[in-house]
Amino acid sequence: MEDLAHIVIHTWQLLMRPPLTTALPGLGVELAGHPQAAAAYRERVIAPLRNGAIDAIARAVAAGQWDGPDPDTAVDMLVGTFVYRLAYLGQAPELDEVFRVAELVAGRALPRGTLAP
């Protein structure tokens, strides 16, 4: 589960802090009109993050350390929550809030005592 905690921190640092925090909503709108650019962005940026998180959750499931939904759904729930808040509510979450939501999805606590942003 510690690898999942590292992914939570890395993703938060990458997407939920400046400069991307202010750029993400506009990027989404811009990519909608450019299918090739959107596909390249998904392949180079989104897929590695998403697949890494899915793999980490799958390892936690295999180890009996995951009480939440299947890995694909769990990642979509986590990311969707914060992309919605950022894009539509203008609220960039603090890392502690991201962990609280991740723990709700996981159905248990994630290790975060020794991890720092």
Side-chain angles (χ1 to χ4, degrees):
M1 293 278 281
E2 189 154 326
D3 56 345
L4 182 58
H6 283 286
I7 290 168
V8 167
I9 291 170
H10 175 72
T11 303
W12 176 77
Q13 288 175 324
L14 181 65
L15 300 177
M16 296 296 153
R17 292 175 55 190
L20 282 181
T21 303
T22 54
L24 277 178
L27 179 62
V29 170
E30 188 63 31
L31 287 174
H34 302 279
Q36 288 179 315
Y41 180 76
R42 282 191 303 273
E43 179 183 328
R44 293 184 184 132
V45 178
I46 300 301
L49 290 171
R50 185 172 191 274
N51 293 340
I54 288 169
D55 291 346
I57 293 172
R59 286 190 297 276
V61 169
Q65 299 177 334
W66 185 262
D67 298 324
D70 68 273
D72 288 47
T73 301
V75 169
D76 292 347
M77 289 171 68
L78 290 167
V79 174
T81 296
F82 295 110
V83 169
Y84 163 77
R85 288 182 183 176
L86 182 62
Y88 293 100
L89 303 179
Q91 300 171 350
E94 294 295 326
L95 183 58
D96 190 55
E97 180 184 4
V98 175
F99 267 102
R100 283 194 311 271
V101 172
E103 290 169 344
L104 286 170
V105 173
R108 60 176 58 211
L110 295 176
R112 53 176 152 158
T114 61
L115 303 174

